[in-house]
Amino acid sequence: MGQARLRVLVACEYSGVVRDAFARLGHYAMSCDLLPAEVPGSHYQGDVRDVLDYPWDLMVAHPPCTHLSVSGARHFADKRMDGRQQAAVSFFMMLAKTDIPMVAIENPVCIMSSLWKKPDQVIQPWQFGHGETKATCLWLKGLSLLKPENIVDGRESRIHKMPPSPDRWKERSRTYSGIAAAMANQWGG
Ligand SMILES: C[S@@+](CC[C@H](N)C(=O)[O-])C[C@H]1O[C@@H](n2cnc3c(N)ncnc32)[C@H](O)[C@@H]1O
């Protein structure tokens, strides 16, 4: 018997990396971002709230981490004072509380661990074919822990070595293809 075709929302994704990993396996996958899609495919350019109540089976969400990540902790006092952090937390929690039966929320090490709950797992790109380090937290609902698929040598922190540029944040936040493939294989299989 063939596998069920899932309706998959990839929230806060402009790259199409996770969307296309699910689409390649025959699922209906749509990305959504305020930005246009980097590569052609099913994409809603706009606020994720506009499409959240569609009957999705599975959502992978990458909410913005700028005001949550511990790497920006030195600015937390200002961000709390003017409400930017509260707004970012509220957006994260909106995604966490949807009725979608299977949900994965991805973020770097961030304040949600203490403010809400610890992530279900912390994964690294080197567990999925990329010889790099970047601790990535996953909060999961209705999904199994993601199993490493291709552990490789190399523990380079490429992200920290990137030179300043207007697109640096995009390069830093783009999902690794090996992690996207594992999500599709294991959660959409
Ligand atoms: C950390 S980046 C995630 C990028 C993702 N990993 C990828 O490969 O494309 C967060 C993204 O959230 C998007 N975003 C912020 N607010 C949003 C909203 N209300 N609705 C949809 N997307 C939003 C931003 O434009 C940004 O591209």
Side-chain angles (χ1 to χ4, degrees), residues 121 123 127-128 138 140 143-149 178-187:
Q121 69 178 134
I123 57 171
Q127 299 174 312
F128 299 90
L138 295 176
L140 304 173
L143 292 169
S144 54
L145 297 181
L146 207 59
K147 292 187 279 297
E149 291 201 337
I179 293 178
M183 289 175 169
N185 290 340
Q186 297 178 37
W187 295 340

mmCIF file of all heavy atoms in Angstrom, residues 121 123 127-128 138 140 143-149 178-187:
data_model
loop_
_atom_site.group_PDB
_atom_site.id
_atom_site.type_symbol
_atom_site.label_atom_id
_atom_site.label_comp_id
_atom_site.label_asym_id
_atom_site.label_seq_id
_atom_site.Cartn_x
_atom_site.Cartn_y
_atom_site.Cartn_z
ATOM 1 N N GLN A 121 14.528 17.698 21.215
ATOM 2 C CA GLN A 121 15.855 17.244 20.841
ATOM 3 C C GLN A 121 16.667 18.407 20.288
ATOM 4 O O GLN A 121 16.128 19.436 19.895
ATOM 5 C CB GLN A 121 15.801 16.089 19.825
ATOM 6 C CG GLN A 121 15.319 16.458 18.457
ATOM 7 C CD GLN A 121 15.359 15.240 17.508
ATOM 8 O OE1 GLN A 121 14.404 14.995 16.789
ATOM 9 N NE2 GLN A 121 16.438 14.499 17.478
ATOM 10 N N ILE A 123 19.644 18.873 17.445
ATOM 11 C CA ILE A 123 20.348 18.169 16.371
ATOM 12 C C ILE A 123 21.488 19.033 15.845
ATOM 13 O O ILE A 123 21.560 20.226 16.128
ATOM 14 C CB ILE A 123 19.384 17.776 15.214
ATOM 15 C CG1 ILE A 123 18.683 19.029 14.651
ATOM 16 C CG2 ILE A 123 18.374 16.750 15.685
ATOM 17 C CD1 ILE A 123 17.886 18.753 13.378
ATOM 18 N N GLN A 127 25.223 15.454 11.834
ATOM 19 C CA GLN A 127 24.481 14.181 11.935
ATOM 20 C C GLN A 127 23.704 13.877 10.649
ATOM 21 O O GLN A 127 23.131 12.816 10.493
ATOM 22 C CB GLN A 127 23.483 14.260 13.099
ATOM 23 C CG GLN A 127 24.131 14.476 14.454
ATOM 24 C CD GLN A 127 23.101 14.700 15.547
ATOM 25 O OE1 GLN A 127 22.172 15.497 15.401
ATOM 26 N NE2 GLN A 127 23.246 13.990 16.648
ATOM 27 N N PHE A 128 23.699 14.865 9.733
ATOM 28 C CA PHE A 128 22.874 14.749 8.523
ATOM 29 C C PHE A 128 23.673 15.099 7.266
ATOM 30 O O PHE A 128 23.138 15.683 6.324
ATOM 31 C CB PHE A 128 21.638 15.651 8.667
ATOM 32 C CG PHE A 128 20.769 15.279 9.841
ATOM 33 C CD1 PHE A 128 20.990 15.858 11.084
ATOM 34 C CD2 PHE A 128 19.786 14.305 9.722
ATOM 35 C CE1 PHE A 128 20.215 15.493 12.179
ATOM 36 C CE2 PHE A 128 19.015 13.927 10.806
ATOM 37 C CZ PHE A 128 19.230 14.518 12.043
ATOM 38 N N LEU A 138 14.596 21.317 18.315
ATOM 39 C CA LEU A 138 13.304 20.940 17.733
ATOM 40 C C LEU A 138 12.301 20.694 18.859
ATOM 41 O O LEU A 138 12.563 19.912 19.773
ATOM 42 C CB LEU A 138 13.441 19.664 16.905
ATOM 43 C CG LEU A 138 14.321 19.700 15.650
ATOM 44 C CD1 LEU A 138 14.408 18.315 15.017
ATOM 45 C CD2 LEU A 138 13.805 20.726 14.635
ATOM 46 N N LEU A 140 8.629 19.175 19.250
ATOM 47 C CA LEU A 140 7.844 18.276 18.397
ATOM 48 C C LEU A 140 6.477 17.966 19.004
ATOM 49 O O LEU A 140 6.351 17.802 20.223
ATOM 50 C CB LEU A 140 8.607 16.957 18.194
ATOM 51 C CG LEU A 140 10.031 17.079 17.623
ATOM 52 C CD1 LEU A 140 10.727 15.724 17.649
ATOM 53 C CD2 LEU A 140 9.997 17.643 16.209
ATOM 54 N N LEU A 143 5.248 13.807 16.414
ATOM 55 C CA LEU A 143 6.333 13.349 15.532
ATOM 56 C C LEU A 143 7.401 12.651 16.358
ATOM 57 O O LEU A 143 7.639 13.006 17.521
ATOM 58 C CB LEU A 143 6.972 14.548 14.814
ATOM 59 C CG LEU A 143 6.100 15.275 13.789
ATOM 60 C CD1 LEU A 143 6.756 16.597 13.368
ATOM 61 C CD2 LEU A 143 5.860 14.400 12.567
ATOM 62 N N SER A 144 8.075 11.667 15.723
ATOM 63 C CA SER A 144 9.160 10.982 16.420
ATOM 64 C C SER A 144 10.435 11.830 16.364
ATOM 65 O O SER A 144 10.570 12.715 15.513
ATOM 66 C CB SER A 144 9.412 9.627 15.747
ATOM 67 O OG SER A 144 9.627 9.855 14.371
ATOM 68 N N LEU A 145 11.354 11.531 17.286
ATOM 69 C CA LEU A 145 12.649 12.237 17.262
ATOM 70 C C LEU A 145 13.320 11.968 15.926
ATOM 71 O O LEU A 145 13.235 10.861 15.383
ATOM 72 C CB LEU A 145 13.554 11.736 18.390
ATOM 73 C CG LEU A 145 13.061 11.981 19.830
ATOM 74 C CD1 LEU A 145 14.094 11.449 20.832
ATOM 75 C CD2 LEU A 145 12.767 13.448 20.084
ATOM 76 N N LEU A 146 14.002 12.968 15.401
ATOM 77 C CA LEU A 146 14.676 12.817 14.115
ATOM 78 C C LEU A 146 15.965 12.019 14.328
ATOM 79 O O LEU A 146 16.811 12.395 15.152
ATOM 80 C CB LEU A 146 15.005 14.211 13.569
ATOM 81 C CG LEU A 146 15.115 14.376 12.065
ATOM 82 C CD1 LEU A 146 13.815 13.974 11.376
ATOM 83 C CD2 LEU A 146 15.442 15.834 11.724
ATOM 84 N N LYS A 147 16.090 10.924 13.585
ATOM 85 C CA LYS A 147 17.280 10.076 13.758
ATOM 86 C C LYS A 147 18.386 10.541 12.801
ATOM 87 O O LYS A 147 18.108 10.825 11.628
ATOM 88 C CB LYS A 147 16.953 8.612 13.448
ATOM 89 C CG LYS A 147 16.019 7.998 14.479
ATOM 90 C CD LYS A 147 15.839 6.514 14.269
ATOM 91 C CE LYS A 147 14.825 6.155 13.198
ATOM 92 N NZ LYS A 147 13.433 6.556 13.421
ATOM 93 N N PRO A 148 19.654 10.598 13.295
ATOM 94 C CA PRO A 148 20.752 10.950 12.391
ATOM 95 C C PRO A 148 20.755 10.014 11.193
ATOM 96 O O PRO A 148 20.530 8.813 11.331
ATOM 97 C CB PRO A 148 21.999 10.740 13.259
ATOM 98 C CG PRO A 148 21.503 10.939 14.657
ATOM 99 C CD PRO A 148 20.098 10.389 14.676
ATOM 100 N N GLU A 149 21.000 10.545 10.016
ATOM 101 C CA GLU A 149 20.952 9.727 8.790
ATOM 102 C C GLU A 149 22.326 9.553 8.175
ATOM 103 O O GLU A 149 22.543 8.644 7.377
ATOM 104 C CB GLU A 149 20.013 10.374 7.756
ATOM 105 C CG GLU A 149 18.572 10.300 8.182
ATOM 106 C CD GLU A 149 17.579 10.443 7.028
ATOM 107 O OE1 GLU A 149 17.928 11.004 5.988
ATOM 108 O OE2 GLU A 149 16.437 9.968 7.198
ATOM 109 N N GLY A 178 20.361 18.271 4.172
ATOM 110 C CA GLY A 178 20.376 16.927 4.782
ATOM 111 C C GLY A 178 19.350 16.816 5.903
ATOM 112 O O GLY A 178 18.726 15.758 6.092
ATOM 113 N N ILE A 179 19.164 17.895 6.641
ATOM 114 C CA ILE A 179 18.166 17.899 7.726
ATOM 115 C C ILE A 179 16.763 17.887 7.108
ATOM 116 O O ILE A 179 15.874 17.159 7.556
ATOM 117 C CB ILE A 179 18.377 19.115 8.657
ATOM 118 C CG1 ILE A 179 19.709 18.955 9.411
ATOM 119 C CG2 ILE A 179 17.204 19.271 9.623
ATOM 120 C CD1 ILE A 179 20.069 20.106 10.341
ATOM 121 N N ALA A 180 16.584 18.681 6.043
ATOM 122 C CA ALA A 180 15.274 18.709 5.370
ATOM 123 C C ALA A 180 14.928 17.325 4.811
ATOM 124 O O ALA A 180 13.791 16.857 4.935
ATOM 125 C CB ALA A 180 15.304 19.735 4.239
ATOM 126 N N ALA A 181 15.907 16.658 4.206
ATOM 127 C CA ALA A 181 15.652 15.331 3.632
ATOM 128 C C ALA A 181 15.267 14.341 4.726
ATOM 129 O O ALA A 181 14.356 13.521 4.553
ATOM 130 C CB ALA A 181 16.892 14.848 2.872
ATOM 131 N N ALA A 182 15.950 14.429 5.886
ATOM 132 C CA ALA A 182 15.632 13.519 6.992
ATOM 133 C C ALA A 182 14.214 13.772 7.501
ATOM 134 O O ALA A 182 13.469 12.831 7.807
ATOM 135 C CB ALA A 182 16.650 13.698 8.122
ATOM 136 N N MET A 183 13.826 15.044 7.580
ATOM 137 C CA MET A 183 12.452 15.357 8.029
ATOM 138 C C MET A 183 11.435 14.717 7.093
ATOM 139 O O MET A 183 10.462 14.092 7.539
ATOM 140 C CB MET A 183 12.240 16.886 8.040
ATOM 141 C CG MET A 183 12.990 17.597 9.136
ATOM 142 S SD MET A 183 12.808 19.410 8.968
ATOM 143 C CE MET A 183 13.478 19.943 10.548
ATOM 144 N N ALA A 184 11.677 14.863 5.794
ATOM 145 C CA ALA A 184 10.729 14.311 4.822
ATOM 146 C C ALA A 184 10.742 12.776 4.859
ATOM 147 O O ALA A 184 9.683 12.135 4.890
ATOM 148 C CB ALA A 184 11.073 14.825 3.431
ATOM 149 N N ASN A 185 11.929 12.179 4.896
ATOM 150 C CA ASN A 185 12.027 10.711 4.924
ATOM 151 C C ASN A 185 11.335 10.125 6.137
ATOM 152 O O ASN A 185 10.605 9.134 6.048
ATOM 153 C CB ASN A 185 13.503 10.264 5.004
ATOM 154 C CG ASN A 185 14.247 10.532 3.722
ATOM 155 O OD1 ASN A 185 13.632 10.700 2.671
ATOM 156 N ND2 ASN A 185 15.570 10.601 3.802
ATOM 157 N N GLN A 186 11.619 10.723 7.313
ATOM 158 C CA GLN A 186 11.174 10.118 8.568
ATOM 159 C C GLN A 186 9.764 10.538 8.970
ATOM 160 O O GLN A 186 9.033 9.775 9.579
ATOM 161 C CB GLN A 186 12.174 10.433 9.672
ATOM 162 C CG GLN A 186 13.559 9.846 9.408
ATOM 163 C CD GLN A 186 14.572 10.188 10.490
ATOM 164 O OE1 GLN A 186 14.250 10.240 11.673
ATOM 165 N NE2 GLN A 186 15.819 10.406 10.080
ATOM 166 N N TRP A 187 9.396 11.767 8.666
ATOM 167 C CA TRP A 187 8.070 12.239 9.092
ATOM 168 C C TRP A 187 7.037 12.102 7.969
ATOM 169 O O TRP A 187 5.839 12.099 8.231
ATOM 170 C CB TRP A 187 8.150 13.706 9.549
ATOM 171 C CG TRP A 187 9.012 13.883 10.779
ATOM 172 C CD1 TRP A 187 9.368 12.920 11.692
ATOM 173 C CD2 TRP A 187 9.630 15.093 11.238
ATOM 174 N NE1 TRP A 187 10.155 13.453 12.688
ATOM 175 C CE2 TRP A 187 10.333 14.787 12.425
ATOM 176 C CE3 TRP A 187 9.649 16.403 10.770
ATOM 177 C CZ2 TRP A 187 11.040 15.750 13.132
ATOM 178 C CZ3 TRP A 187 10.358 17.355 11.483
ATOM 179 C CH2 TRP A 187 11.045 17.039 12.655
#
